[in-house]
Amino acid sequence: MDDIVTSDRPYQYPDLDDQPNFPWRGESSRKRQRKHVIAPSASDGDLEDPEDDDDDPYQEDEDSTDEEDAGSKPILRRSARKRQKTEKVDEVDPLLAEERTKKGGVDDDENFYTLQTDVADFQERLRQRQESQPADITRDGKGAWGGKRGGAKGPRGPRKPVEPSLEIKLLLSQANSAFVSGEYEKVEEITNRVIQMNAEIYAAHALLSGVFLERGEIQMAIVASISAAHLRPKDPALWRNCATLILENGREDRAKYLNDAIYCYTRIIGINPKDFESRFERAVLLRELGHQGRAVRELEQILTMLPQDPTVLRQLAEIYIDLGEIEKAKQRYREYIAYDSTAVAPPPIHFDWSDVNIYVELFGYQGEYADGIKELKSLSRWVLGRREEDYWDEIQDDDREWDYSENPRRSKVNGYISGRFDQSCYGQGLPLELRVKLGVYRLKQAEEHFGEAMTHFAWLDRKDDQLGTKLFDYPDLFRESADALCDAGNYHEALQFYEPLQDVEAQLDITLYFQMAKCYRAMSLADEADQCYQTIIANDEKNIDARIELAKMYEEMNLPQRAFPYVNEVLLLRKEEPRRRANEGMTTEPGQADSFLPTASGLHERSQKAHPRVSLSKEERMVREQEQDDAMHYQYMQLQGLRNKMREGDKASAVEWMAAASSLLNDFRNAKVFYLWEQYSQLLGSAPDVRKRPLKNQSSDSRTDLEAMTERLHDSLGQAEAGRAGANPSIPTDYRRIALDKWLDIFLEYSLFLAKGGKSKDCYETLNAAYNANVFYHSHDSCFQIQACWAACALLMQDDEVMCSVARWFMREYQFTTDTYRLYAVLNRLFHAPVSWYNSGPSQKFLLRQVKAMDYSLVSEESRARHFTEKASYSRRNKEGHLVTNQEMDIALLMLYGQVLYVGSSYPHALNYFFRAYALDPTHPLINLHLALGYLHYALKRQSDNRHYLIMQGLSFLFAYHDIRMASPSTGHQQEANFNVARSFHMLGLTHLALPYYEQVLSLSASLSEGYGGEEDQLDPSRSHKVVEDFAKDAAFNLQSIYALGGNMKMAREVTEKWLVI
């Protein structure tokens, strides 16, 4: 097997629609040459010698396989075969036999006699075929010999694959063993080799598909499976397995795989056109892809052969509904009902309640409610086994047939016999879905059937709201009943079904509250309607429809001062709508009420925050405001009393403090005067040119109505009041008799408490609310405190993304300030996880812009034009409002950006910025250390050109760093220098050079613990807490590893016992 030359390139599979074509199928060159000989038709069995199969020149010789066996038996068989062929040649050609006899009876040219044998066989077969033809058939083209089409032909279809060789069988055995062992890379390598040797080996493709599937490469697994199925194209099980594999593993990008599944089902149908299951699956997939017409044709073909299958009929009816061809769906159901009712033997799948529901629903689409009621009652009676009671068809004005008990109405019907059928065959047997549909149709049929409809709706037990009752089992039926009652104008009854749905989380959507508000407004319940609209706005702050309805309601109530702010909000929202839709990729129309509310708990919580805005007089508003002010001030006093105990760790006090703080902050966040929304809307509403500006992306009727309402409200309020509404109010100093700086303290301390509890979402929402409040946003000191608290919270929750974002805020607001760059490094140093956002793309780009901005102000105009493509991004302004530029290079910024590149393994680029810092301060120890490590790590990369040169460069800077540190009086600096040098030699594998430096680290540990730990301690000896960073344990661990790997276990044990044992 070693002499077989294979390619390293993996086998490339063809497209799914192409069948592999291998004309020779791995046959020998000798056999391919022999295929050029004209062979007789396989149907002419009388021309072949059944007792001499070995004489067939088109059958492959056994030499190719027998030659692999050593011994005399293959040679004897070949000699016997040769003698047999020679005898046949003698019978056909006596002259040739005589010539061979003269030569001694043996011809040494084996190839010559093989050719003569083949020619003799062909001549003999040709003679026998001519003798077997009838006398009236000549070569004039009218007989079989003449080649006229239509005669008997040979076997059709793909021929059998070539038997795999012993080498391929051995490779497949190895692949199977590797697959069982989980060595998928080895399996892939072996199967690719087999496929290159003979691409018609089914087992190789099947194994390759299994490998891809185990590794999660779904697309490749599907391609390999389909390629394997092509090798056995007449096996429907393989194609079905391919389709199942596609449908089960193509969930993420389902549309991408559906065409492949359809192709597999098409191949199955080509094998067996009566495979109705495959036809049905193909129709379902065609419908899912949107090919409704093709799906209809497929299903209709199935129904032609299986008219008793209701499953196909349901699918066909749904497609007809989508296409709007309701009458065709009804006709199909009528045909099925007629077939099922007249069938002698019952069909395997009987007409059931779901079919009744679908069929009756078709009448509702066309508004034929009377016919729908008649069919519903008739079919339900049939399903329940009371088909012979056709006298009920004469009673269409009421539904007494489906009452719970036979008294008082059902027993009075002529023809009704009590006890003939069980009571479960009447009202108690009708499914609740059909009963509600019956009530809906009665309600839509005519107003006089309202009582009959309510009789059906009463079966829902709307007053029973316990878990496990019909409210939680059939919430969709409650919704359907309520919608029908609301559309019919029965608002009071509709609310009886709407209001219980507020306890069902799955039903809490915007449409529900719009419908409830509509009913409340119709019943003049303004407070309840306002509460519904406020709930919608609280959960969907961009909702336009709720604001429009609120404005209309307040205008109808003659409260223009309450309606005007909502009109302004609508104008602002519509102005921002195109930009928001472009950012969010939205396709729905603005203000469309189709989004769902988050959760039931969040909905009720936020709906409680949305206080009704309806007030009938100024005095009542003042009284309500004073009550709210007193309540909030009491909460604040309670908060102050609990603060000390909460900070001391008292859990009960902490819970009470959090509750009081939450109540206060909710009140603050509901005061829209602190947020820019209301101020912007007032300014927008008071400008006539803005009010009259045409609105984009809205219908002309909607624009006209809104503009007309704006003009009416503006006129009713008066120009003076409108002007006051649009004026900018002065920034207050307190709220609820509490100073604003105290409010900020509550925000920050509440956020820190949430961060300690790990509630990141609530914590960030609280900080964001404080940052967006205009009373804090325009205060530089307040923003500084908020961002500092934000960084602390992110550090507590170990959120590196937020930490980097806050650090970038400080670098942007305090541009060219060295401490801000150090803050970025410190925050990431305190993050106890692998770096991710420290050297992320956004962070690198931000720091690069800072470096460019620093360079931009320090070069001449000529250099700017040559090296800079855009202006610098300055972000800091002084008190006069002018941009602040730098006057010198900032080493901290250069080193920070170099370190970010260094962490990302971009050592050549990092060295560039390290050298810029080195040019400014060549004696700084950290700059020399970074240059040394940059060179050493770059030397260890595979792409390094001159590794020894890079190492020497790195060592030169490393010893420069060592000399600078050793000159320091701090013992900690000396220990640090020795450890870093030792660790660098250790990294390079020069452990004999690392040992002395590690030992120096250990020797300095004792003096380090007795003396000062750093320059800070030396400068301030009075400090009570000494900061000591000892590298002894790190050095001891590395020494232990060196000794253990070198085989000196005695020294490793000594180091461990002395330094590493606690």
Side-chain angles (χ1 to χ4, degrees):
M1 294 189 294
D2 297 334
D3 59 345
I4 297 177
V5 180
T6 60
S7 174
D8 295 333
R9 185 179 60 184
Y11 178 70
Q12 300 294 328
Y13 284 95
D15 293 338
L16 300 180
D17 295 331
D18 296 333
Q19 296 190 18
N21 184 21
F22 309 103
W24 304 116
R25 299 196 178 187
E27 296 170 353
S28 64
S29 60
R30 179 180 176 186
K31 182 175 181 181
R32 291 198 298 269
Q33 294 175 1
R34 292 168 64 183
K35 281 181 177 288
H36 292 286
V37 183
I38 301 176
S41 174
S43 61
D44 302 329
D46 54 334
L47 300 182
E48 299 179 2
D49 189 1
E51 298 179 358
D52 193 4
D53 294 338
D54 293 336
D55 295 343
D56 189 355
Y58 310 107
Q59 181 176 348
E60 185 175 359
D61 294 338
E62 296 177 359
D63 299 355
S64 59
T65 56
D66 292 342
E67 287 174 356
E68 296 179 3
D69 300 330
S72 60
K73 290 185 179 181
I75 298 177
L76 294 175
R77 286 198 296 269
R78 286 198 299 271
S79 299
R81 189 181 308 111
K82 183 176 179 180
R83 285 195 301 271
Q84 293 176 1
K85 293 182 177 181
T86 303
E87 292 173 0
K88 294 189 66 175
V89 171
D90 294 344
E91 294 176 2
V92 177
D93 194 347
L95 296 177
L96 185 61
E98 182 179 356
E99 182 179 357
R100 184 170 54 255
T101 303
K102 294 178 181 180
K103 294 181 179 181
V106 178
D107 197 328
D108 297 330
D109 192 349
E110 181 179 353
N111 293 332
F112 174 77
Y113 277 103
T114 302
L115 175 62
Q116 293 296 334
T117 303
D118 293 343
V119 172
D121 289 339
F122 174 73
Q123 292 178 352
E124 176 64 16
R125 293 173 181 275
L126 182 61
R127 180 184 59 80
Q128 294 178 2
R129 180 164 185 166
Q130 291 176 351
E131 292 176 356
S132 64
Q133 298 297 332
D136 57 344
I137 297 181
T138 62
R139 299 184 183 182
D140 57 358
K142 298 181 181 180
W145 177 242
K148 185 177 180 180
R149 296 182 180 181
K153 299 180 180 180
R156 300 181 60 183
R159 54 177 172 75
K160 295 182 179 179
V162 178
E163 181 71 18
S165 64
L166 292 177
E167 180 182 3
I168 291 179
K169 291 180 179 179
L170 179 60
L171 289 174
L172 290 177
S173 176
Q174 296 174 359
N176 284 323
S177 301
F179 185 84
V180 173
S181 303
E183 302 175 12
Y184 300 124
E185 297 294 336
K186 182 178 180 181
V187 177
E188 183 180 4
E189 179 183 355
I190 296 175
T191 51
N192 281 329
R193 183 179 178 184
V194 171
I195 291 173
Q196 289 176 351
M197 295 170 62
N198 187 352
E200 291 187 319
I201 303 300
Y202 166 78
H205 294 272
L207 273 174
L208 199 56
S209 174
V211 169
F212 289 139
L213 192 60
E214 291 293 333
R215 294 195 308 204
E217 301 176 16
I218 305 303
Q219 178 64 22
M220 294 299 296
I222 292 172
V223 173
S225 298
I226 294 180
S227 298
H230 275 114
L231 298 176
R232 297 182 181 178
K234 296 299 183 181
D235 190 346
L238 295 181
W239 293 109
R240 193 175 302 280
N241 291 338
C242 290
T244 304
L245 175 66
I246 293 170
L247 296 178
E248 288 181 353
N249 296 280
R251 298 186 182 92
E252 295 181 358
D253 192 4
R254 185 174 175 82
K256 179 181 178 182
Y257 299 104
L258 287 183
N259 284 318
D260 298 339
I262 292 174
Y263 171 75
C264 294
Y265 285 122
T266 302
R267 295 301 299 260
I268 297 174
I269 296 170
I271 299 171
N272 181 15
K274 294 186 178 180
D275 192 332
F276 303 115
E277 181 181 355
S278 299
R279 286 187 179 274
F280 181 79
E281 293 295 336
R282 184 171 70 172
V284 172
L285 297 181
L286 287 171
R287 182 192 176 190
E288 188 173 346
L289 281 177
H291 304 312
Q292 308 283 16
R294 294 175 58 188
V296 167
R297 290 193 295 271
E298 193 75 57
L299 293 172
E300 287 181 342
Q301 187 173 0
I302 298 175
L303 282 180
T304 303
M305 295 176 282
L306 293 176
Q308 72 279 12
D309 194 338
T311 305
V312 180
L313 185 59
R314 295 167 197 159
Q315 191 72 222
L316 186 60
E318 293 177 3
I319 300 177
Y320 277 137
I321 292 173
D322 295 338
L323 296 175
E325 299 178 356
I326 308 299
E327 197 59 40
K328 288 185 177 181
K330 290 166 61 177
Q331 180 61 32
R332 281 292 185 181
Y333 265 104
R334 292 192 191 101
E335 293 174 358
Y336 177 78
I337 294 171
Y339 175 87
D340 198 3
S341 59
T342 58
V344 178
I349 305 178
H350 196 67
F351 199 82
D352 58 11
W353 292 116
S354 60
D355 299 303
V356 176
N357 193 19
I358 296 174
Y359 179 53
V360 173
E361 186 71 22
L362 299 176
F363 292 91
Y365 282 112
Q366 294 182 321
E368 301 173 352
Y369 301 112
D371 294 339
I373 292 172
K374 182 178 180 180
E375 292 293 335
L376 187 152
K377 296 163 69 174
S378 177
L379 292 175
S380 299
R381 192 184 314 124
W382 176 34
V383 173
L384 289 172
R386 298 187 294 107
R387 183 178 180 182
E388 56 270 22
E389 290 189 351
D390 54 358
Y391 56 85
W392 291 109
D393 294 335
E394 301 176 0
I395 304 175
Q396 297 297 329
D397 295 335
D398 58 53
D399 303 321
R400 67 182 66 186
E401 178 185 2
W402 306 105
D403 290 348
Y404 182 82
S405 61
E406 61 183 11
N407 294 317
R409 296 197 303 174
R410 191 164 61 232
S411 59
K412 298 179 180 180
V413 177
N414 294 330
Y416 174 73
I417 302 175
S418 178
R420 182 179 180 184
F421 295 99
D422 189 74
Q423 291 299 314
S424 61
C425 296
Y426 293 94
Q428 301 176 25
L430 186 65
L432 198 56
E433 293 87 347
L434 292 178
R435 183 175 291 281
V436 171
K437 190 176 296 295
L438 189 57
V440 171
Y441 281 14
R442 283 295 185 187
L443 198 61
K444 293 182 177 181
Q445 184 182 12
E447 186 177 353
E448 59 268 15
H449 296 297
F450 170 75
E452 200 71 32
M454 291 303 299
T455 302
H456 293 298
F457 296 153
W459 284 68
L460 291 175
D461 295 335
R462 57 184 179 275
K463 295 183 180 181
D464 188 359
D465 58 353
Q466 299 298 320
L467 290 176
T469 58
K470 294 177 182 178
L471 172 62
F472 297 94
D473 294 337
Y474 305 99
D476 54 327
L477 300 183
F478 275 76
R479 188 70 171 269
E480 184 179 0
S481 305
D483 290 342
L485 290 168
C486 183
D487 294 340
N490 307 111
Y491 301 110
H492 177 71
E493 290 77 9
L495 285 172
Q496 296 178 7
F497 292 92
Y498 277 135
E499 290 176 344
L501 289 175
Q502 296 180 85
D503 297 328
V504 184
E505 182 177 346
Q507 293 294 321
L508 292 178
D509 57 25
I510 288 179
T511 308
L512 173 66
Y513 282 89
F514 267 116
Q515 292 291 94
M516 291 176 61
K518 178 182 177 181
C519 296
Y520 286 132
R521 287 178 61 184
M523 298 171 63
S524 301
L525 299 174
D527 289 341
E528 288 78 1
D530 179 85
Q531 186 70 22
C532 292
Y533 290 130
Q534 295 295 346
T535 302
I536 296 173
I537 295 174
N539 289 274
D540 184 9
E541 297 179 355
K542 306 298 182 182
N543 192 283
I544 293 178
D545 291 343
R547 291 175 169 87
I548 292 177
E549 294 300 326
L550 273 171
K552 289 181 179 180
M553 184 179 70
Y554 288 138
E555 185 184 17
E556 293 171 358
M557 297 171 60
N558 197 21
L559 292 173
Q561 71 277 8
R562 306 304 301 166
F564 197 74
Y566 291 109
V567 176
N568 291 329
E569 290 180 7
V570 171
L571 292 172
L572 181 61
L573 281 173
R574 287 185 173 176
K575 180 181 178 181
E576 297 176 349
E577 186 68 24
R579 181 172 64 253
R580 186 171 70 251
R581 291 178 62 193
N583 294 336
E584 299 178 0
M586 295 175 59
T587 57
T588 56
E589 289 297 324
Q592 200 169 6
D594 56 356
S595 59
F596 289 88
L597 305 182
T599 59
S601 58
L603 178 65
H604 293 310
E605 179 182 353
R606 299 186 70 172
S607 64
Q608 291 173 3
K609 302 175 188 176
H611 302 286
R613 301 186 183 185
V614 177
S615 58
L616 299 178
S617 65
K618 183 178 180 180
E619 291 75 12
E620 291 182 356
R621 291 199 302 271
M622 294 179 62
V623 170
R624 179 181 299 177
E625 189 69 18
Q626 184 63 38
E627 293 175 352
Q628 186 71 8
D629 188 82
D630 294 339
M632 291 298 103
H633 195 267
Y634 173 77
Q635 292 277 5
Y636 176 72
M637 298 304 297
Q638 184 182 13
L639 188 102
Q640 291 293 97
L642 295 170
R643 175 170 293 174
N644 293 332
K645 292 184 178 180
M646 181 270 295
R647 291 178 176 177
E648 292 174 358
D650 185 63
K651 294 184 178 180
S653 299
V655 172
E656 294 182 14
W657 187 92
M658 288 291 291
S662 177
S663 178
L664 284 169
L665 296 182
N666 285 338
D667 180 76
F668 188 95
R669 293 168 68 176
N670 284 330
K672 284 194 174 182
V673 69
F674 292 136
Y675 296 92
L676 298 178
W677 179 287
E678 189 167 5
Q679 291 184 358
Y680 286 160
S681 66
Q682 289 176 353
L683 289 172
L684 182 63
S686 62
D689 56 337
V690 176
R691 292 196 315 273
K692 296 179 181 179
R693 187 178 303 160
L695 302 176
K696 299 180 181 180
N697 297 330
Q698 298 291 332
S699 63
S700 58
D701 293 340
S702 176
R703 290 200 303 266
T704 303
D705 293 343
L706 189 61
E707 290 173 0
M709 184 190 302
T710 306
E711 293 295 336
R712 292 194 304 269
L713 294 173
H714 191 271
D715 294 340
S716 61
L717 284 174
Q719 294 292 341
E721 185 177 351
R724 289 195 300 272
N728 266 329
S730 61
I731 298 178
T733 59
D734 62 355
Y735 175 65
R736 304 290 190 194
R737 292 179 289 166
I738 304 172
L740 290 179
D741 57 346
K742 300 297 183 182
W743 279 104
L744 182 59
D745 291 341
I746 297 173
F747 269 103
L748 301 184
E749 192 158 11
Y750 184 74
S751 301
L752 286 170
F753 203 96
L754 291 173
K756 292 177 181 178
K759 300 179 180 180
S760 60
K761 182 179 179 181
D762 296 336
C763 174
Y764 293 152
E765 285 182 354
T766 303
L767 289 170
N768 191 57
Y771 185 72
N772 289 331
N774 50 23
V775 291
F776 301 138
Y777 184 82
H778 297 288
S779 173
H780 198 72
D781 294 338
S782 298
C783 289
F784 183 91
Q785 295 181 50
I786 293 172
Q787 293 294 333
C789 181
W790 217 318
C793 293
L795 191 60
L796 285 171
M797 294 181 289
Q798 289 293 289
D799 191 342
D800 58 334
E801 179 182 1
V802 177
M803 283 193 300
C804 292
S805 177
V806 173
R808 289 199 297 267
W809 182 90
F810 280 103
M811 288 189 287
R812 184 172 55 252
E813 294 297 322
Y814 299 90
Q815 197 174 24
F816 309 125
T817 303
T818 301
D819 287 340
T820 60
Y821 307 126
R822 292 174 177 169
L823 177 65
Y824 183 86
V826 167
L827 287 176
N828 284 275
R829 177 65 180 84
L830 297 174
F831 178 65
H832 305 297
V835 293
S836 58
W837 283 93
Y838 174 73
N839 63 328
S840 62
S843 300
Q844 288 191 27
K845 293 177 181 177
F846 178 84
L847 291 174
L848 181 59
R849 288 195 297 268
Q850 297 293 310
V851 174
K852 288 182 178 179
M854 180 181 65
D855 294 341
Y856 188 84
S857 62
L858 298 177
V859 299
S860 61
E861 292 293 337
E862 182 181 356
S863 298
R864 292 177 183 175
R866 186 169 62 251
H867 298 292
F868 291 88
T869 59
E870 57 184 7
K871 292 185 178 181
S873 56
Y874 298 117
S875 58
R876 183 182 177 187
R877 295 182 181 272
N878 55 21
K879 295 180 179 180
E880 290 77 19
H882 301 136
L883 291 173
V884 177
T885 60
N886 60 304
Q887 302 300 324
E888 59 184 7
M889 288 282 183
D890 195 318
I891 297 178
L893 176 59
L894 294 172
M895 289 298 296
L896 177 61
Y897 187 58
Q899 289 167 355
V900 168
L901 295 174
Y902 174 86
V903 172
S905 301
S906 300
Y907 304 117
H909 302 290
L911 287 171
N912 179 31
Y913 292 93
F914 292 155
F915 270 117
R916 290 184 63 181
Y918 180 79
L920 297 173
D921 189 359
T923 61
H924 198 288
L926 290 183
I927 297 177
N928 284 272
L929 178 61
H930 279 83
L931 282 168
L933 294 178
Y935 271 115
L936 293 179
H937 281 284
Y938 185 31
L940 297 178
K941 293 191 68 173
R942 183 168 51 86
Q943 296 88 347
S944 59
D945 296 330
N946 194 335
R947 185 164 298 166
H948 294 83
Y949 166 78
L950 295 174
I951 292 177
M952 294 304 298
Q953 286 286 95
L955 291 178
S956 65
F957 285 106
L958 181 65
F959 283 109
Y961 153 77
H962 181 264
D963 295 340
I964 296 171
R965 278 304 197 196
M966 294 302 293
S968 172
S970 172
T971 307
H973 289 169
Q974 297 175 11
Q975 190 193 39
E976 171 204 310
N978 285 299
F979 179 80
N980 284 330
V981 173
R983 185 67 188 86
S984 299
F985 281 128
H986 195 175
M987 177 182 65
L988 294 174
L990 305 175
T991 56
H992 64 288
L993 299 178
L995 287 175
Y997 290 97
Y998 279 136
E999 292 172 354
Q1000 285 290 330
V1001 174
L1002 298 179
S1003 64
L1004 290 172
S1005 177
S1007 58
L1008 179 68
S1009 59
E1010 297 174 359
Y1012 299 125
E1015 292 179 353
E1016 296 82 0
D1017 297 327
Q1018 186 174 358
L1019 295 175
D1020 186 11
S1022 62
R1023 292 173 59 182
S1024 59
H1025 176 67
K1026 301 297 188 296
V1027 179
V1028 179
E1029 187 174 9
D1030 191 358
F1031 295 92
K1033 288 184 173 55
D1034 302 277
F1037 180 80
N1038 292 341
L1039 276 174
Q1040 177 206 50
S1041 301
I1042 293 173
Y1043 289 140
L1045 292 175
N1048 193 345
M1049 302 305 296
K1050 179 180 179 182
M1051 292 295 296
R1053 183 180 182 87
E1054 291 179 359
V1055 172
T1056 303
E1057 291 177 349
K1058 183 176 181 180
W1059 296 98
L1060 300 179
V1061 176
I1062 300 177

